[in-house]
Amino acid sequence: MSSEPSTPSILERILAYASLTIIAVALLSFFATLIIGLNDRQTMAQGLWPFVYGVSLIGLPVGFVLLILLILLSQRRRRAEFRRGKRS
């Protein structure tokens, strides 16, 4: 059994960065709409703010799904590496 750590695939790296970015943007947009909404409710109904609010509604579930997919892919890779190491 080798003691060297396995490296994640390019797909796993893309999923990690994408999920982190999407979740961070969704949280920022949530806090921005919360702050703007508490200060001036009329501003929230016009301009770009409905889109920013929509990003916070859609971004978190999408980021969560990407995170679950990343966990599943990394576990599948580790299981395959374990089986290869066990046969050697």
Side-chain angles (χ1 to χ4, degrees):
M1 190 181 233
S2 66
S3 62
E4 66 184 48
S6 62
T7 59
S9 68
I10 190 72
L11 179 62
E12 289 174 343
R13 289 181 189 197
I14 290 172
L15 281 175
Y17 289 128
S19 64
L20 179 67
T21 303
I22 290 172
I23 290 172
V25 167
L27 287 175
L28 286 174
S29 68
F30 173 74
F31 287 122
T33 55
L34 184 66
I35 291 169
I36 297 297
L38 287 174
N39 289 332
D40 186 14
R41 296 198 62 127
Q42 296 298 325
T43 307
M44 288 299 299
Q46 55 190 336
L48 191 61
W49 291 108
F51 175 75
V52 174
Y53 178 68
V55 167
S56 66
L57 286 179
I58 295 172
L60 282 176
V62 169
F64 183 71
V65 167
L66 290 176
L67 199 59
I68 296 297
L69 184 61
L70 172 65
I71 291 171
L72 292 174
L73 285 175
S74 67
Q75 289 300 318
R76 191 177 89 184
R77 177 182 48 86
R78 288 182 183 200
R79 188 180 310 125
E81 287 176 355
F82 178 73
R83 287 182 183 160
R84 277 185 294 196
K86 201 172 184 178
R87 289 182 186 157
S88 298

